[in-house]
Short mmCIF file of all heavy atoms in Angstrom, two decimals:
data_model
loop_
_atom_site.label_atom_id
_atom_site.label_comp_id
_atom_site.label_asym_id
_atom_site.label_seq_id
_atom_site.Cartn_x
_atom_site.Cartn_y
_atom_site.Cartn_z
N MET A 200 52.29 93.73 126.98
CA MET A 200 53.53 94.36 127.27
C MET A 200 53.24 95.73 127.87
O MET A 200 52.42 96.48 127.38
CB MET A 200 54.32 94.48 125.96
CG MET A 200 55.81 94.59 126.19
SD MET A 200 56.70 94.63 124.63
CE MET A 200 56.85 92.92 124.27
N THR A 201 53.97 96.07 128.89
CA THR A 201 53.74 97.36 129.56
C THR A 201 54.67 98.40 128.97
O THR A 201 55.60 98.13 128.24
CB THR A 201 54.01 97.24 131.09
OG1 THR A 201 55.36 96.87 131.23
CG2 THR A 201 53.11 96.16 131.67
N ALA A 202 54.42 99.65 129.31
CA ALA A 202 55.21 100.78 128.82
C ALA A 202 56.62 100.71 129.39
O ALA A 202 57.55 101.24 128.80
CB ALA A 202 54.54 102.07 129.19
N ALA A 203 56.83 100.08 130.56
CA ALA A 203 58.14 100.01 131.20
C ALA A 203 58.89 98.73 130.79
O ALA A 203 59.81 98.33 131.45
CB ALA A 203 57.97 100.05 132.70
N ALA A 204 58.49 98.11 129.67
CA ALA A 204 59.15 96.89 129.27
C ALA A 204 60.58 97.22 128.79
O ALA A 204 60.91 98.33 128.42
CB ALA A 204 58.37 96.24 128.10
N ASN A 205 61.39 96.22 128.83
CA ASN A 205 62.77 96.31 128.42
C ASN A 205 62.79 96.65 126.91
O ASN A 205 62.19 95.97 126.12
CB ASN A 205 63.52 94.99 128.68
CG ASN A 205 64.98 95.12 128.37
OD1 ASN A 205 65.46 96.18 127.96
ND2 ASN A 205 65.68 94.03 128.59
N PRO A 206 63.47 97.75 126.49
CA PRO A 206 63.46 98.11 125.06
C PRO A 206 64.05 97.01 124.16
O PRO A 206 63.73 96.89 123.03
CB PRO A 206 64.38 99.32 125.00
CG PRO A 206 64.32 99.90 126.39
CD PRO A 206 64.15 98.71 127.29
N ALA A 207 64.91 96.15 124.71
CA ALA A 207 65.46 95.07 123.93
C ALA A 207 64.45 94.01 123.61
O ALA A 207 64.62 93.23 122.67
CB ALA A 207 66.66 94.44 124.66
N ASP A 208 63.35 93.99 124.37
CA ASP A 208 62.32 92.96 124.16
C ASP A 208 61.28 93.41 123.14
O ASP A 208 60.44 92.63 122.73
CB ASP A 208 61.62 92.64 125.49
CG ASP A 208 62.57 91.96 126.45
OD1 ASP A 208 63.57 91.37 125.95
OD2 ASP A 208 62.34 92.04 127.66
N ILE A 209 61.29 94.66 122.74
CA ILE A 209 60.30 95.19 121.79
C ILE A 209 60.71 94.76 120.38
O ILE A 209 61.85 94.94 119.97
CB ILE A 209 60.19 96.73 121.90
CG1 ILE A 209 59.75 97.09 123.28
CG2 ILE A 209 59.25 97.25 120.86
CD1 ILE A 209 59.78 98.60 123.54
N ILE A 210 59.77 94.15 119.68
CA ILE A 210 59.99 93.73 118.33
C ILE A 210 59.33 94.70 117.40
O ILE A 210 58.14 94.98 117.50
CB ILE A 210 59.48 92.31 118.08
CG1 ILE A 210 60.20 91.32 119.04
CG2 ILE A 210 59.62 91.87 116.62
CD1 ILE A 210 59.64 89.93 119.00
N ILE A 211 60.08 95.25 116.45
CA ILE A 211 59.52 96.16 115.47
C ILE A 211 59.25 95.36 114.20
O ILE A 211 60.14 94.74 113.65
CB ILE A 211 60.53 97.31 115.20
CG1 ILE A 211 60.80 98.06 116.45
CG2 ILE A 211 59.96 98.23 114.11
CD1 ILE A 211 61.91 99.11 116.32
N GLU A 212 57.97 95.42 113.75
CA GLU A 212 57.63 94.74 112.56
C GLU A 212 57.44 95.72 111.45
O GLU A 212 57.01 96.85 111.66
CB GLU A 212 56.33 93.94 112.78
CG GLU A 212 56.44 92.88 113.82
CD GLU A 212 55.18 92.14 114.02
OE1 GLU A 212 54.26 92.29 113.17
OE2 GLU A 212 55.05 91.36 114.98
N GLY A 213 57.77 95.33 110.23
CA GLY A 213 57.60 96.25 109.11
C GLY A 213 58.12 95.60 107.85
O GLY A 213 58.53 94.44 107.83
N GLU A 214 58.08 96.39 106.80
CA GLU A 214 58.56 95.91 105.49
C GLU A 214 59.90 96.58 105.21
O GLU A 214 60.13 97.72 105.55
CB GLU A 214 57.55 96.30 104.40
CG GLU A 214 56.23 95.59 104.52
CD GLU A 214 55.30 95.95 103.38
OE1 GLU A 214 55.77 96.52 102.39
OE2 GLU A 214 54.14 95.65 103.48
N PHE A 215 60.75 95.85 104.58
CA PHE A 215 62.04 96.34 104.17
C PHE A 215 62.19 96.21 102.68
O PHE A 215 61.82 95.16 102.10
CB PHE A 215 63.17 95.61 104.88
CG PHE A 215 63.16 95.81 106.37
CD1 PHE A 215 62.51 94.92 107.21
CD2 PHE A 215 63.74 96.95 106.93
CE1 PHE A 215 62.47 95.11 108.58
CE2 PHE A 215 63.68 97.15 108.29
CZ PHE A 215 63.06 96.22 109.12
N ARG A 216 62.70 97.22 102.03
CA ARG A 216 62.83 97.23 100.58
C ARG A 216 64.27 97.54 100.24
O ARG A 216 64.88 98.45 100.81
CB ARG A 216 61.92 98.30 99.99
CG ARG A 216 61.95 98.41 98.51
CD ARG A 216 60.83 99.33 98.07
NE ARG A 216 60.87 100.62 98.72
CZ ARG A 216 61.29 101.74 98.13
NH1 ARG A 216 61.72 101.74 96.88
NH2 ARG A 216 61.29 102.90 98.80
N VAL A 217 64.83 96.82 99.31
CA VAL A 217 66.21 97.07 98.84
C VAL A 217 66.12 98.21 97.85
O VAL A 217 65.48 98.15 96.83
CB VAL A 217 66.81 95.84 98.17
CG1 VAL A 217 68.20 96.14 97.63
CG2 VAL A 217 66.90 94.73 99.20
N VAL A 218 66.80 99.31 98.20
CA VAL A 218 66.77 100.49 97.32
C VAL A 218 67.78 100.36 96.20
O VAL A 218 67.43 100.62 95.04
CB VAL A 218 67.09 101.79 98.15
CG1 VAL A 218 67.16 103.01 97.24
CG2 VAL A 218 66.02 101.97 99.23
N ALA A 219 68.92 99.90 96.51
CA ALA A 219 69.93 99.70 95.46
C ALA A 219 70.87 98.61 95.91
O ALA A 219 71.14 98.42 97.08
CB ALA A 219 70.75 100.97 95.24
N GLU A 220 71.35 97.87 94.95
CA GLU A 220 72.26 96.78 95.28
C GLU A 220 73.47 96.95 94.32
O GLU A 220 73.30 97.11 93.12
CB GLU A 220 71.61 95.41 95.05
CG GLU A 220 72.48 94.26 95.38
CD GLU A 220 71.77 92.94 95.22
OE1 GLU A 220 70.58 92.86 95.56
OE2 GLU A 220 72.41 91.97 94.76
N ARG A 221 74.64 96.92 94.89
CA ARG A 221 75.84 97.10 94.09
C ARG A 221 76.74 95.89 94.24
O ARG A 221 77.10 95.50 95.36
CB ARG A 221 76.57 98.33 94.55
CG ARG A 221 77.84 98.59 93.75
CD ARG A 221 78.51 99.89 94.18
NE ARG A 221 79.77 99.98 93.43
CZ ARG A 221 80.66 100.89 93.64
NH1 ARG A 221 80.47 101.80 94.56
NH2 ARG A 221 81.74 100.94 92.92
N THR A 222 77.04 95.28 93.14
CA THR A 222 77.97 94.14 93.19
C THR A 222 79.37 94.64 93.02
O THR A 222 79.66 95.50 92.19
CB THR A 222 77.61 93.14 92.08
OG1 THR A 222 77.67 93.79 90.85
CG2 THR A 222 76.22 92.57 92.32
N LEU A 223 80.26 94.17 93.83
CA LEU A 223 81.66 94.55 93.73
C LEU A 223 82.36 93.76 92.67
O LEU A 223 82.26 92.56 92.64
CB LEU A 223 82.34 94.36 95.09
CG LEU A 223 81.78 95.19 96.24
CD1 LEU A 223 82.50 94.80 97.56
CD2 LEU A 223 81.97 96.65 96.00
N THR A 224 83.03 94.47 91.78
CA THR A 224 83.74 93.81 90.74
C THR A 224 85.25 93.77 91.09
O THR A 224 85.75 94.61 91.82
CB THR A 224 83.55 94.54 89.39
OG1 THR A 224 84.01 95.86 89.53
CG2 THR A 224 82.08 94.54 88.97
N ALA A 225 85.92 92.82 90.50
CA ALA A 225 87.36 92.69 90.76
C ALA A 225 88.15 93.78 90.02
O ALA A 225 89.23 94.16 90.40
CB ALA A 225 87.86 91.32 90.32
N LYS A 226 87.55 94.31 88.93
CA LYS A 226 88.24 95.33 88.15
C LYS A 226 87.94 96.71 88.71
O LYS A 226 86.77 97.09 88.84
CB LYS A 226 87.73 95.24 86.68
CG LYS A 226 88.36 96.20 85.77
CD LYS A 226 87.74 96.07 84.38
CE LYS A 226 88.19 97.21 83.50
NZ LYS A 226 87.48 97.22 82.23
N SER A 227 88.98 97.47 89.04
CA SER A 227 88.75 98.81 89.54
C SER A 227 88.63 99.80 88.36
O SER A 227 89.18 99.54 87.28
CB SER A 227 89.90 99.23 90.46
OG SER A 227 91.14 99.24 89.75
N SER A 228 87.94 100.87 88.58
CA SER A 228 87.71 101.80 87.51
C SER A 228 88.96 102.62 87.19
O SER A 228 89.83 102.78 88.04
CB SER A 228 86.57 102.75 87.89
OG SER A 228 87.02 103.65 88.89
N PRO A 229 89.08 103.15 85.99
CA PRO A 229 90.23 103.99 85.61
C PRO A 229 90.36 105.23 86.52
O PRO A 229 91.47 105.64 86.82
CB PRO A 229 89.98 104.36 84.17
CG PRO A 229 89.00 103.35 83.66
CD PRO A 229 88.20 102.91 84.84
N ASN A 230 89.22 105.78 86.92
CA ASN A 230 89.29 106.95 87.81
C ASN A 230 89.92 106.59 89.12
O ASN A 230 90.68 107.39 89.71
CB ASN A 230 87.88 107.52 88.04
CG ASN A 230 87.37 108.22 86.79
OD1 ASN A 230 88.15 108.66 85.96
ND2 ASN A 230 86.05 108.28 86.71
N THR A 231 89.64 105.42 89.67
CA THR A 231 90.22 105.01 90.93
C THR A 231 91.71 104.81 90.78
O THR A 231 92.53 105.19 91.64
CB THR A 231 89.58 103.66 91.38
OG1 THR A 231 88.17 103.85 91.49
CG2 THR A 231 90.11 103.24 92.75
N ARG A 232 92.14 104.21 89.64
CA ARG A 232 93.56 104.00 89.40
C ARG A 232 94.28 105.36 89.30
O ARG A 232 95.39 105.51 89.80
CB ARG A 232 93.74 103.22 88.11
CG ARG A 232 93.38 101.75 88.27
CD ARG A 232 93.81 100.99 87.02
NE ARG A 232 92.91 99.87 86.85
CZ ARG A 232 92.30 99.56 85.73
NH1 ARG A 232 92.49 100.25 84.64
NH2 ARG A 232 91.45 98.53 85.67
N ARG A 233 93.66 106.29 88.60
CA ARG A 233 94.27 107.63 88.48
C ARG A 233 94.40 108.30 89.81
O ARG A 233 95.41 108.96 90.12
CB ARG A 233 93.46 108.49 87.52
CG ARG A 233 93.71 108.22 86.09
CD ARG A 233 93.04 109.22 85.20
NE ARG A 233 92.65 108.58 83.99
CZ ARG A 233 91.39 108.35 83.62
NH1 ARG A 233 90.40 108.78 84.35
NH2 ARG A 233 91.12 107.75 82.50
N ALA A 234 93.34 108.17 90.63
CA ALA A 234 93.40 108.80 91.96
C ALA A 234 94.52 108.18 92.81
O ALA A 234 95.21 108.89 93.51
CB ALA A 234 92.04 108.62 92.66
N VAL A 235 94.65 106.87 92.77
CA VAL A 235 95.68 106.19 93.54
C VAL A 235 97.07 106.63 93.03
O VAL A 235 97.97 106.94 93.83
CB VAL A 235 95.51 104.67 93.46
CG1 VAL A 235 96.76 103.96 94.01
CG2 VAL A 235 94.26 104.24 94.19
N ALA A 236 97.25 106.73 91.74
CA ALA A 236 98.51 107.13 91.17
C ALA A 236 98.82 108.61 91.56
O ALA A 236 99.96 108.91 91.89
CB ALA A 236 98.49 107.03 89.65
N ARG A 237 97.81 109.46 91.57
CA ARG A 237 98.01 110.86 91.96
C ARG A 237 98.42 110.96 93.42
O ARG A 237 99.35 111.70 93.75
CB ARG A 237 96.72 111.63 91.69
CG ARG A 237 96.86 113.11 91.78
CD ARG A 237 95.65 113.85 91.23
NE ARG A 237 94.37 113.29 91.59
CZ ARG A 237 93.51 112.71 90.73
NH1 ARG A 237 93.83 112.65 89.46
NH2 ARG A 237 92.37 112.23 91.12
N ILE A 238 97.75 110.20 94.27
CA ILE A 238 98.06 110.23 95.72
C ILE A 238 99.50 109.73 95.93
O ILE A 238 100.26 110.31 96.71
CB ILE A 238 97.06 109.38 96.48
CG1 ILE A 238 95.69 110.10 96.51
CG2 ILE A 238 97.54 109.14 97.91
CD1 ILE A 238 94.57 109.24 97.03
N LEU A 239 99.87 108.64 95.30
CA LEU A 239 101.25 108.10 95.48
C LEU A 239 102.28 109.06 94.93
O LEU A 239 103.32 109.22 95.55
CB LEU A 239 101.33 106.75 94.75
CG LEU A 239 100.57 105.60 95.39
CD1 LEU A 239 100.69 104.36 94.52
CD2 LEU A 239 101.00 105.33 96.79
N CYS A 240 101.97 109.74 93.84
CA CYS A 240 102.90 110.71 93.29
C CYS A 240 103.12 111.87 94.26
O CYS A 240 104.26 112.27 94.54
CB CYS A 240 102.38 111.19 91.95
SG CYS A 240 103.50 112.36 91.14
N TRP A 241 102.01 112.42 94.77
CA TRP A 241 102.17 113.56 95.72
C TRP A 241 102.86 113.13 97.01
O TRP A 241 103.65 113.89 97.56
CB TRP A 241 100.80 114.18 96.03
CG TRP A 241 100.36 115.10 94.94
CD1 TRP A 241 99.33 114.92 94.07
CD2 TRP A 241 100.91 116.39 94.58
NE1 TRP A 241 99.25 115.97 93.19
CE2 TRP A 241 100.22 116.87 93.51
CE3 TRP A 241 102.02 117.10 95.09
CZ2 TRP A 241 100.52 118.09 92.91
CZ3 TRP A 241 102.33 118.30 94.49
CH2 TRP A 241 101.59 118.80 93.44
N ASN A 242 102.61 111.90 97.46
CA ASN A 242 103.31 111.42 98.64
C ASN A 242 104.80 111.32 98.40
O ASN A 242 105.60 111.70 99.26
CB ASN A 242 102.74 110.04 99.07
CG ASN A 242 101.43 110.16 99.79
OD1 ASN A 242 101.03 111.22 100.22
ND2 ASN A 242 100.74 109.03 99.92
N ALA A 243 105.19 110.84 97.20
CA ALA A 243 106.60 110.74 96.91
C ALA A 243 107.23 112.14 96.84
O ALA A 243 108.35 112.32 97.31
CB ALA A 243 106.76 110.01 95.56
N ILE A 244 106.50 113.11 96.30
CA ILE A 244 107.03 114.48 96.20
C ILE A 244 107.24 115.07 97.61
O ILE A 244 108.28 115.65 97.90
CB ILE A 244 106.08 115.35 95.36
CG1 ILE A 244 106.17 114.95 93.89
CG2 ILE A 244 106.44 116.83 95.52
CD1 ILE A 244 105.09 115.55 93.02
N PHE A 245 106.25 114.88 98.47
CA PHE A 245 106.36 115.43 99.82
C PHE A 245 107.46 114.77 100.64
O PHE A 245 108.21 115.41 101.37
CB PHE A 245 105.04 115.35 100.56
CG PHE A 245 104.03 116.38 100.04
CD1 PHE A 245 102.75 115.98 99.68
CD2 PHE A 245 104.36 117.72 99.91
CE1 PHE A 245 101.83 116.91 99.24
CE2 PHE A 245 103.46 118.65 99.46
CZ PHE A 245 102.17 118.25 99.09
N VAL A 246 107.56 113.42 100.52
CA VAL A 246 108.60 112.73 101.24
C VAL A 246 109.96 113.15 100.72
O VAL A 246 110.91 113.37 101.51
CB VAL A 246 108.41 111.20 101.13
CG1 VAL A 246 109.65 110.44 101.61
CG2 VAL A 246 107.18 110.75 101.89
N GLY A 247 110.12 113.27 99.42
CA GLY A 247 111.36 113.75 98.86
C GLY A 247 111.69 115.18 99.33
O GLY A 247 112.84 115.46 99.65
N ALA A 248 110.69 116.04 99.42
CA ALA A 248 110.93 117.39 99.89
C ALA A 248 111.38 117.39 101.38
O ALA A 248 112.25 118.14 101.74
CB ALA A 248 109.66 118.24 99.71
N VAL A 249 110.73 116.56 102.16
CA VAL A 249 111.10 116.48 103.58
C VAL A 249 112.52 116.01 103.73
O VAL A 249 113.24 116.42 104.65
CB VAL A 249 110.10 115.58 104.35
CG1 VAL A 249 110.59 115.21 105.73
CG2 VAL A 249 108.75 116.25 104.45
N LEU A 250 112.96 115.10 102.88
CA LEU A 250 114.31 114.57 102.99
C LEU A 250 115.38 115.52 102.35
O LEU A 250 116.50 115.60 102.87
CB LEU A 250 114.40 113.21 102.30
CG LEU A 250 113.59 112.09 102.96
CD1 LEU A 250 113.65 110.83 102.13
CD2 LEU A 250 114.08 111.83 104.39
N VAL A 251 115.02 116.22 101.30
CA VAL A 251 116.02 117.06 100.60
C VAL A 251 116.15 118.44 101.19
O VAL A 251 117.24 118.97 101.26
CB VAL A 251 115.63 117.08 99.07
CG1 VAL A 251 116.49 118.15 98.37
CG2 VAL A 251 115.78 115.75 98.46
N ILE A 252 115.06 119.08 101.58
CA ILE A 252 115.12 120.47 102.07
C ILE A 252 116.08 120.65 103.25
O ILE A 252 116.85 121.60 103.26
CB ILE A 252 113.72 120.99 102.33
CG1 ILE A 252 112.97 121.24 101.04
CG2 ILE A 252 113.73 122.29 103.18
CD1 ILE A 252 111.51 121.59 101.16
N PRO A 253 116.05 119.78 104.26
CA PRO A 253 117.05 119.98 105.37
C PRO A 253 118.49 119.93 104.87
O PRO A 253 119.35 120.65 105.41
CB PRO A 253 116.75 118.82 106.31
CG PRO A 253 115.36 118.46 106.04
CD PRO A 253 115.15 118.71 104.60
N HIS A 254 118.80 119.15 103.85
CA HIS A 254 120.15 119.06 103.35
C HIS A 254 120.52 120.35 102.58
O HIS A 254 121.68 120.79 102.58
CB HIS A 254 120.36 117.85 102.39
CG HIS A 254 120.31 116.54 103.13
ND1 HIS A 254 121.31 116.15 103.96
CD2 HIS A 254 119.35 115.59 103.17
CE1 HIS A 254 120.98 114.98 104.48
NE2 HIS A 254 119.78 114.60 103.99
N LEU A 255 119.54 120.94 101.90
CA LEU A 255 119.81 122.19 101.18
C LEU A 255 120.03 123.36 102.14
O LEU A 255 120.84 124.24 101.89
CB LEU A 255 118.68 122.51 100.23
CG LEU A 255 118.47 121.54 99.06
CD1 LEU A 255 117.22 121.88 98.28
CD2 LEU A 255 119.73 121.52 98.18
N ILE A 256 119.28 123.35 103.23
CA ILE A 256 119.39 124.44 104.22
C ILE A 256 120.62 124.27 105.06
O ILE A 256 121.31 125.26 105.35
CB ILE A 256 118.09 124.49 105.10
CG1 ILE A 256 116.88 124.88 104.24
CG2 ILE A 256 118.26 125.45 106.26
CD1 ILE A 256 115.57 124.80 104.99
N GLY A 257 120.91 123.07 105.50
CA GLY A 257 122.01 122.85 106.43
C GLY A 257 123.29 122.61 105.76
O GLY A 257 124.17 122.95 105.23
#
């Protein structure tokens, strides 16, 4: 193979090692549930503020 070979034709050989493997479970953690509830709560507060404040001002 020459130095001007197509880079797609170059095969890199080596060893690959799995550093960590995580299996996804169907059950979500309590921290994730709390975070989702917190986000939904703040979204509801902001949407409510956007809808109510113009009525209070106008």
Side-chain angles (χ1 to χ4, degrees):
M200 203 177 274
T201 62
N205 186 359
D208 294 336
I209 298 173
I210 299 173
I211 300 172
E212 296 180 13
E214 293 182 14
F215 296 95
R216 179 171 55 105
V217 176
V218 176
E220 183 176 321
R221 181 177 175 186
T222 57
L223 298 175
T224 59
K226 181 182 171 188
S227 61
S228 71
N230 288 336
T231 304
R232 288 189 209 130
R233 281 189 213 111
V235 169
R237 191 167 44 246
I238 290 169
L239 291 176
C240 182
W241 280 110
N242 282 345
I244 290 169
F245 287 129
V246 168
V249 166
L250 295 175
V251 170
I252 288 175
H254 291 289
L255 293 176
I256 293 174

